[in-house]
Structure formats: C-alpha cells, structure tokens
Amino acid sequence: MARRSYASFGNADYGFWYRFAAVLVKPVTTALVKPDWRGWEHLPKRGGFITAVNHNSIIDPLVYAHWQYNSGRPPRILGKSSLFSVPFIGFMLRKTGQIPVFRESTDAARAFRSAIDAVNSGQCVQFYPEGTLTRDPDLWPMTGKSGVARVALMTGAPVIPVAHWGAHEIIPPYGRGGAGRSRFNLFPRHRVVVAAGPAVDLSKYQGQELTAQVLRDATEDIMTAITAVLAEIRGTEPPAERYDMREAARNRATAAAARRQKAAGPAGDEAEEAGK
C-alpha cells in the first residue's frame, strides 16, 4: 500500500520529540521486519479516534507505532507505568505524550482521564484491550477489558480495530519458542502484517447508561472486530469461544484442588467432610 502524505491530515502534529523518537525506533523495526502495512484508509483524517489492537509479542508496540506513525496520525499509546521509570525510555515516552497506566493504585484512573482528554482534543489513542499478551494457545485475541469501550462511548469517537501478525515469530510470547527453537529469532527479517478494519459499529450503545453489561457487550463487539481483521490476515477461522484468563484461572484452581484431594486419598475425603 502506498504511504500517505502527512500533509493530507489536518492535525498531524508530530513535533520535534516524536520525529526524534521515530529516527531512533524506525531503523530497529526496519532491521527486524518486512512490513506489510494495510488499512490506512479506515483511519479518520481528522478528529479524535481510538485504535484497539491485539497483542501477541513484546515488540508489538514498536511495530504498531511504526505502522501508525507512517499512516500520518501519530498515536498516543497507553503503556505500563513502570516503563516511564526506565532511564531515557521514560523520558522519550513523556516527551512524545504517551499515557502511563497505573494498575491497582490510586492513580489508576489517570490514564482513563488522559485518554478521554486526548481523544476529545482530536488525537489518536491506542489501546491493547486484552491488557497483556494473549494466553490463547493459538494467539487469537482473548476477552477484553472494558476501558476502550468506556472511552469510546463517553467520547463518541470511532474505534478502529487493528491486528498485527508476525511479530511473534521474532520474539514469541512468554519465550514460547517451542522445541528446538530460540526464544529470539531476529534474523532473517520476518514479514509482519499490520492491518486496520472499518470502525466498529457501537451505535446501539450510544445514549445508554454505561452499565457493566453494556460495557461488556461493547467490549466484545470490539474484540470480535479485531479478531475478524486477524482472521483475514491469517486466512483461518478463529475459535468459536474466546479465551478468558479469569475462567482459565478458575479451571486451573479447580483442577489443582481435585489433584490434591485425589493425592490425599480417603484420609483427605474424611478431613474435608469433618471440616464441613
């Protein structure tokens, strides 16, 4: 796909630090990635919007940022607050206007407020709705967190589903290189696809009270759209049921309890009965 001109966008304000960061980052991604960039036509030329992206490798943010930067709409990416404490990296994140996410703290709502302000001021804000690298065995998107839906419904901004595929071949998630494979496969360069789809239709939720159910349903619509873009990239059908980390954790806990009870034998059954 031909690269768009930055001048075709009404508010493509990169600034010195953003361009300086690109000078540092783009050679790295170019050295590792054979880019296959798709779907820029779905990005609004003006006004605030949200991108919701799948996550299956620790280098996804670099790849996504390269794709988004070249689209002509500089992104503001939500990142773990710990990254902002890393020397130089934190400095560059702050200078380029990225948004720290403070998990499980009194500052947890700060990212939410910053995202809303950024969207309302006409910027692009990027979310990883899964909140972490996917645990799905085949790297399909998991269930999502509701933050992206909440920001979308509070601002009325369009949500653009984005999927990338191929970065996991460079650095597999959680070091899962597999038997006989390295945890890092930097060379030769790997083909990586980043593609955007049409904006998610959330019109049926507009004007409704933002109940937990409304946010869950809107989030699932967003995850379904991301999955559809990824399925088109991969050329395969996604699973019928989405991987749920919380449900998987409950299942593991139940299985572990069953194993402990079985190992304890009759004595364990008697002790459990006596404790009731």
Side-chain angles (χ1 to χ4, degrees):
M1 175 181 293
R3 181 178 179 278
R4 287 190 186 188
S5 167
Y6 298 150
S8 67
F9 291 86
N11 58 352
D13 182 13
Y14 285 82
F16 170 78
W17 289 108
Y18 224 120
R19 295 183 185 277
F20 179 65
V23 169
L24 298 178
V25 172
K26 290 177 71 173
V28 176
T29 54
T30 300
L32 298 176
V33 168
K34 293 180 181 178
D36 184 348
W37 301 158
R38 310 176 188 176
W40 286 336
E41 68 274 11
H42 297 297
L43 304 184
K45 290 186 176 182
R46 293 174 177 80
F49 68 100
I50 297 164
T51 55
V53 192
N54 70 313
H55 198 9
N56 54 34
S57 174
I58 62 171
I59 64 168
D60 286 344
L62 293 181
V63 175
Y64 163 80
H66 191 162
W67 174 86
Q68 183 72 52
Y69 184 93
N70 278 22
S71 77
R73 296 295 307 266
R76 294 189 66 183
I77 300 174
L78 279 78
K80 293 180 180 179
S81 59
S82 57
L83 293 174
F84 288 73
S85 300
V86 178
F88 186 71
I89 292 177
F91 173 82
M92 292 303 300
L93 290 173
R94 289 188 292 273
K95 284 296 187 180
T96 55
Q98 308 314 312
I99 301 173
V101 178
F102 298 86
R103 295 180 178 176
E104 300 178 359
S105 74
T106 55
D107 293 325
R110 189 187 304 176
F112 177 73
R113 293 192 297 269
S114 296
I116 289 177
D117 291 344
V119 171
N120 284 336
S121 67
Q123 300 179 56
C124 165
V125 175
Q126 181 261 347
F127 282 81
Y128 285 114
E130 298 161 278
T132 187
L133 293 170
T134 183
R135 263 71 164 186
D136 182 271
D138 293 320
L139 303 184
W140 290 100
M142 304 186 293
T143 54
K145 299 182 183 298
S146 62
V148 60
R150 184 181 293 273
V151 172
L153 295 177
M154 290 186 69
T155 61
V159 177
I160 309 300
V162 178
H164 35 44
W165 186 249
H168 65 286
E169 295 287 352
I170 302 170
I171 301 182
Y174 304 104
R176 296 193 309 234
R181 295 188 60 188
S182 170
R183 294 176 59 185
F184 303 97
N185 307 288
L186 304 183
F187 302 105
R189 291 197 306 161
H190 291 72
R191 174 176 171 267
V192 177
V193 181
V194 183
V200 184
D201 183 5
L202 299 176
S203 59
K204 62 184 175 183
Y205 305 111
Q206 292 294 340
Q208 294 191 39
E209 181 183 355
L210 297 185
T211 63
Q213 187 61 54
V214 166
L215 291 173
R216 280 195 297 269
D217 291 345
T219 301
E220 179 55 26
D221 286 355
I222 292 169
M223 298 310 300
T224 297
I226 298 171
T227 303
V229 177
L230 183 58
E232 184 174 352
I233 293 172
R234 295 176 60 170
T236 58
E237 288 295 319
E241 294 186 9
R242 199 177 307 287
Y243 186 91
D244 187 323
M245 285 181 60
R246 288 173 294 185
E247 182 179 348
R250 288 193 295 267
N251 291 341
R252 287 195 298 270
T254 300
R259 288 194 297 271
R260 289 194 299 269
Q261 183 175 345
K262 183 177 180 180
D269 294 339
E270 293 172 3
E272 182 178 349
E273 193 64 31
K276 292 182 179 180

